[in-house]
């Protein structure tokens, strides 16, 4: 019953479009039969499927619109994020430009701050030219020193070394670590190149100022103090290695010393290396440091005569109180207390010469033990007043003898202790002086002298000095070394011809020539023309060769 209604409705629907299907109806005993022609049946099925397709197309169109809206939203979010990233990149670019401008405005630090892929070994040498006042109370000392650093520079090989500019090459960026306040720091450079090996850059500086030093006063007044200059670098331990110079030893001028009445300088200089942590950088990188230490021994004569002997006399006078009869203890105590208070006052006067320390010096121990002896004498005078009269005289004599023996034994033990303990470091310093002198002479024989067939010829200018090794015959031979020294430490009015004359080398060459010639020939006429009236540049090897002589005639003027 449903099918006819559907068919009729569909047939009516299509009738409006000019299609009129025909249906044959027959009746029989069993009921009514409907007969649909084949053409009408196919058209109805096609119409039904077309309606279904329209519905699916409408649903697909609605889903595509939703996807399009979602895609539009995503693109808008990407666009907003892209704008934010562009703004952030612009800010980063501005910060990079600002940092780059600041780095370009820096003077010498960053122009020489070229980083290398491998660690560079820098050899250091320190010469103490002058030691000023050693302030025991403030724990600092004044000094003037010459510091030489040298390292290999492979990039110089094959270049025009005559136009050497130290600011364009790698630099260890050295500084003085234990200086107090501003120090006078004059720096100049030199290049040594023999044409075969790797060129070597020498950085030489002359520093003058005040330096900190933690004084060890355990053995005062027979103490030996270490006076140290520590050279460090702003580069990390992965970039640079500071070591002792393998050719020249560090040295000290023991004659140019202000406090010679109070101190005596030892001739040897000790060197050591350590690692430092910079408090100015958040990283945990460590920086290498090189320390050169000279030693100053205090002259104890002043303290022997003005402290030890006075305390000794004050304590000995306490035994004179036994001359007062034992039945007058008030007189004995009065004298003993006066001596004790005198010793206490004297102790406070001695303390003013020393910084505030939490341990006892040798002088403190002697003064305190002497005061203990005075306190024992005072205590005995108080005890004898309550002793029985019949035994008081006997016990008073026993106490006097016992205290005298104890005081004598104390001095014997104290003198032995001072000799074997406090004076031990002085004996070690003297032994090191002898060893240092021996090693120094060996190195002087190995590196400190030039051969007799070579001389130092130079060409000077207002800003630099170029040094070349030449053969005395006047012919140009193989180039041995070239040096360039920056004289920016001088005034513009003093930069014209500031060149040192190496008199030691001139005298040595004249002596060698006179030894080679037969007698009767004037040696002054046999010198080559390029030596006549010529000044020779004082090189670092000559500095070491002339050390023993130059310190007696004055400073080198490096």
């Amino acid at each position: 019953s449903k099918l006819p209604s559907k068919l009729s409705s569909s047939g009516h629907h299509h009738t409006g479009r000019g299609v009129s299907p025909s249906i044959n109806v027959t009746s029989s005993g069993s009921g009514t039969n409907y007969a649909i022609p084949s053409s009408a049946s196919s058209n109805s099925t096609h119409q039904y499927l077309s309606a279904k397709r329209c519905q699916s197309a409408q649903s697909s169109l609605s889903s595509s619109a939703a996807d399009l809206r979602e895609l539009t939203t995503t693109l808008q979010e990407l666009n907003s994020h892209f704008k934010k990233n562009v703004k952030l990149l612009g800010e980063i670019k501005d910060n990079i430009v600002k940092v780059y401008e600041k780095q370009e405005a820096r003077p010498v630090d960053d122009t020489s701050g070229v980083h290398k892929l491998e660690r560079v070994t820098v050899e250091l040498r320190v010469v103490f030219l002058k030691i000023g006042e050693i302030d025991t109370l403030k724990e600092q000392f004044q000094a003037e020193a010459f510091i030489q650093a040298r390292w290999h520079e492979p990039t110089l090989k094959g270049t025009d070394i005559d136009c050497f500019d130290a600011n364009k090459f790698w630099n260890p960026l050295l500084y003085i670590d234990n200086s107090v306040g501003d120090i006078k720091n004059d720096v100049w450079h030199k290049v040594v190149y023999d044409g075969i090996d790797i060129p070597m850059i020498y950085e030489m500086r002359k520093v003058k100022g005040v330096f900190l030093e933690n004084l060890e006063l355990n053995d005062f007044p027979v103490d030996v103090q270490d006076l140290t200059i520590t050279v460090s670098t702003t580069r990390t331990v992965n970039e640079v290695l500071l070591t002792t110079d393998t050719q020249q030893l560090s040295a000290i001028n023991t004659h140019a010393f202000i406090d010679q009445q109070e101190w005596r300088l030892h001739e040897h200089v000790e060197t050591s290396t350590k690692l430092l942590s910079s408090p100015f950088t958040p990283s945990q990188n460590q920086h290498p440091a090189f320390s050169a230490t000279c030693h100053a021994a205090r002259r104890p004569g002043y303290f022997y005569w003005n402290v030890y002997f006075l305390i000794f006399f004050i304590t000995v006078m306490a035994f004179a109180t036994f001359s007062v009869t034992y039945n007058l203890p008030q007189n004995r105590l009065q004298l003993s207390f006066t001596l004790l208070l005198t010793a206490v006052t004297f102790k406070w006067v001695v303390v003013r010469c020393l910084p505030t320390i939490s341990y006892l010096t040798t002088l403190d121990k002697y003064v305190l033990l002497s005061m203990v002896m005075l306190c024992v004498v005072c205590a005995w005078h108080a005890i004898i007043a309550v002793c029985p009269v019949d035994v008081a005289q006997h016990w008073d004599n026993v106490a006097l003898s016992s205290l005298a023996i104890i005081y004598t034994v104390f001095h014997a033990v104290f003198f032995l202790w001072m000799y074997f303990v406090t004076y031990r470091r002085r004996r070690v310093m003297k032994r090191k002086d002898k060893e240092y002198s021996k090693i120094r002479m060996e190195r002087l024989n190995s590196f400190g002298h030039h051969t007799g067939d070579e001389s130092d010829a130079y060409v000077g200018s207002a800003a630099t000095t170029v040094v070349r090794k030449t053969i005395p015959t006047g012919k140009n031979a193989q180039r041995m070394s070239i040096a360039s020294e920056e004289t920016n430490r001088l005034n513009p009015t003093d930069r014209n011809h500031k060149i040192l004359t190496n008199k030691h080398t001139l005298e040595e060459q004249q002596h060698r020539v006179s030894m080679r010639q037969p007698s009767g020939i004037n040696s002054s006429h046999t010198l080559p023309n390029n030596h006549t009236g010529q000044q020779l540049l004082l090189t670092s090897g000559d500095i070491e060769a002339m050390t023993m002589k130059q310190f007696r005639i004055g400073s080198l003027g490096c």
Side-chain angles (χ1 to χ4, degrees):
S1 62
K2 294 179 181 181
L3 182 59
S5 60
K6 291 181 179 181
L7 291 176
S8 61
S9 62
S10 62
H12 177 74
H13 177 72
H14 289 283
T15 303
R17 298 176 60 184
V19 179
S20 56
S22 61
I23 302 174
N24 299 323
V25 181
T26 58
S27 299
S28 62
S30 59
T32 305
N33 295 325
Y34 298 92
I36 301 174
S38 60
S39 60
S41 176
S42 62
N43 290 334
S44 299
T45 305
H46 177 72
Q47 294 172 358
Y48 180 77
L49 292 175
S50 298
K52 289 293 184 181
R53 288 172 182 172
C54 290
Q55 292 179 359
S56 63
Q58 291 178 357
S59 61
S60 63
L61 287 174
S62 61
S63 63
S64 298
D67 294 339
L68 182 61
R69 286 193 299 270
E70 184 178 358
L71 179 61
T72 303
T73 304
T74 304
L75 291 175
Q76 290 177 353
E77 293 178 355
L78 289 175
N79 187 24
S80 62
H81 288 303
F82 178 76
K83 291 180 179 179
K84 292 180 181 179
N85 292 335
V86 169
K87 183 179 179 181
L88 183 60
L89 290 174
E91 294 177 356
I92 294 174
K93 179 183 176 181
D94 295 337
N95 292 331
I96 292 175
V97 170
K98 291 179 181 179
V99 172
Y100 180 75
E101 290 176 353
K102 290 181 179 179
Q103 289 180 347
E104 283 188 340
R106 289 184 180 179
V108 183
D109 273 356
D110 266 286
T111 54
S112 60
V114 182
H115 293 274
K116 292 194 174 184
L117 297 178
E118 58 183 7
R119 186 166 63 171
V120 180
T121 301
V122 178
E123 298 182 3
L124 288 171
R125 172 176 176 258
V126 178
V127 178
F128 292 89
L129 299 177
K130 185 184 297 183
I131 301 294
E133 180 184 1
I134 302 176
D135 195 339
T136 305
L137 193 61
K138 295 182 180 180
E139 295 188 285
Q140 59 188 22
F141 67 97
Q142 300 176 1
E144 182 178 351
F146 169 77
I147 302 174
Q148 174 184 285
R150 63 187 188 123
W151 63 93
H152 291 285
E153 185 56 63
T155 58
L156 278 173
K157 196 170 184 179
T159 61
D160 187 8
I161 306 180
D162 294 337
C163 302
F164 169 73
D165 186 3
N167 296 328
K168 296 181 180 179
F169 293 90
W170 185 89
N171 192 282
L173 302 179
L174 302 176
Y175 69 94
I176 308 300
D177 182 67
N178 63 328
S179 61
V180 180
D182 296 333
I183 62 174
K184 184 180 179 181
N185 191 6
D186 299 332
V187 183
W188 66 101
H189 296 81
K190 181 178 70 174
V191 176
V192 174
Y193 182 43
D194 59 0
I196 301 175
D197 296 332
I198 301 177
M200 180 168 285
I201 297 179
Y202 284 76
E203 180 182 271
M204 293 165 285
R205 64 181 66 204
K206 185 178 180 182
V207 296
K208 181 179 181 181
V210 181
F211 305 91
L212 286 176
E213 182 62 45
N214 294 324
L215 302 182
E216 298 293 337
L217 300 171
N218 293 281
D219 300 333
F220 178 83
V222 292
D223 53 326
V224 178
Q225 297 300 334
D226 299 337
L227 307 180
T228 304
I229 294 180
T230 301
V231 182
S232 185
T233 174
T234 56
R235 300 187 184 275
T236 63
V237 69
N238 298 324
E239 299 178 77
V240 63
L241 174 64
L242 302 182
T243 60
T244 306
D245 198 312
T246 56
Q247 293 185 359
Q248 296 171 319
L249 291 173
S250 299
I252 182 173
N253 180 10
T254 58
H255 301 280
F257 184 36
I258 296 177
D259 284 349
Q260 289 188 3
Q261 298 295 330
E262 186 179 354
W263 301 85
R264 185 179 66 85
L265 291 177
H266 288 276
E267 297 179 357
H268 72 279
V269 175
E270 296 178 345
T271 58
S272 61
T273 57
K274 58 184 177 180
L275 297 178
L276 300 178
S277 297
S278 176
F280 304 104
T281 57
S283 62
Q284 300 297 325
N285 294 330
Q286 292 182 321
H287 303 270
F290 175 86
S291 298
T293 304
C294 64
H295 305 277
R298 193 189 303 270
R299 299 182 186 272
Y302 173 83
F303 297 95
Y304 283 159
W305 294 107
N306 295 280
V307 180
Y308 278 101
F309 275 108
L310 290 181
I311 292 294
F312 173 76
F313 291 148
I314 291 172
T315 307
V316 169
M317 291 182 67
F319 291 98
T321 58
F322 285 88
S323 61
V324 180
T325 181
Y326 66 90
N327 55 4
L328 296 175
Q330 64 276 12
N331 295 337
R332 284 188 173 189
L333 291 173
Q334 184 179 4
L335 295 173
S336 301
F337 287 156
T338 302
L339 294 174
L340 180 60
L341 293 176
T342 303
V344 171
T345 305
F346 195 77
K347 174 67 170 60
W348 282 108
V349 173
V350 175
V351 167
R352 294 179 183 178
C353 301
L354 300 175
T356 303
I357 53 179
S358 59
Y359 53 86
L360 296 177
T361 65
T362 302
L363 182 60
D364 291 336
K365 294 174 183 178
Y366 181 80
V367 172
L368 290 177
L369 289 174
S370 298
M371 293 175 64
V372 168
M373 180 60 65
L374 291 174
C375 292
V376 171
V377 172
C378 292
W380 173 252
H381 292 333
I383 294 172
I384 196 65
V386 297
C387 286
V389 179
D390 54 345
V391 296
Q393 183 65 41
H394 172 71
W395 286 110
D396 190 56
N397 295 332
V398 172
L400 175 61
S401 303
S402 301
L403 291 176
I405 294 173
I406 292 173
Y407 193 63
T408 304
V409 172
F410 157 69
H411 277 86
V413 173
F414 185 79
F415 290 152
L416 292 174
W417 175 76
M418 286 191 64
Y419 178 78
F420 288 105
V421 178
T422 60
Y423 272 88
R424 178 176 56 190
R425 195 177 183 199
R426 289 178 175 251
R427 293 191 294 272
V428 172
M429 292 294 109
K430 291 181 180 179
R431 185 174 67 252
K432 289 184 177 181
D433 284 345
K434 296 180 180 178
E435 296 175 356
Y436 177 81
S437 300
K438 183 178 179 181
I439 297 174
R440 191 174 192 174
M441 294 304 298
E442 292 177 355
R443 292 206 178 186
L444 285 176
N445 295 331
S446 301
F447 303 104
H449 300 283
H450 298 289
T451 60
D453 299 332
E454 297 177 353
S455 64
D456 291 338
Y458 69 91
V459 178
S461 65
T464 60
T465 301
V466 179
V467 179
R468 300 179 185 274
K469 294 285 186 178
T470 58
I471 303 299
T473 58
K475 298 180 180 179
N476 292 330
Q478 181 183 7
R479 183 173 61 179
M480 298 301 294
S481 67
I482 297 176
S484 175
E485 297 189 355
E486 299 177 1
T487 56
N488 55 354
R489 58 191 178 97
L490 300 175
N491 299 333
T493 58
D494 296 336
R495 290 183 180 178
N496 294 329
H497 300 287
K498 193 67 175 179
I499 302 174
L500 289 173
T501 302
N502 189 345
K503 299 179 181 180
H504 175 76
T505 308
L506 285 173
E507 294 173 359
E508 185 179 0
Q509 290 177 353
Q510 293 176 359
H511 177 70
R512 288 173 181 170
V513 173
S514 62
M515 293 296 292
R516 293 176 184 175
Q517 294 178 357
S519 59
I521 299 177
N522 189 359
S523 61
S524 61
H525 297 287
T526 60
L527 289 174
N529 294 331
N530 60 345
H531 287 271
T532 305
Q534 180 176 346
Q535 293 176 327
L536 300 181
L537 184 67
L538 189 62
T539 61
S540 58
D542 296 327
I543 292 176
E544 186 66 23
M546 296 171 59
T547 302
M548 301 303 294
K549 182 178 180 180
Q550 68 192 359
F551 286 158
R552 290 185 172 87
I553 62 175
S555 177
L556 286 174
C558 298

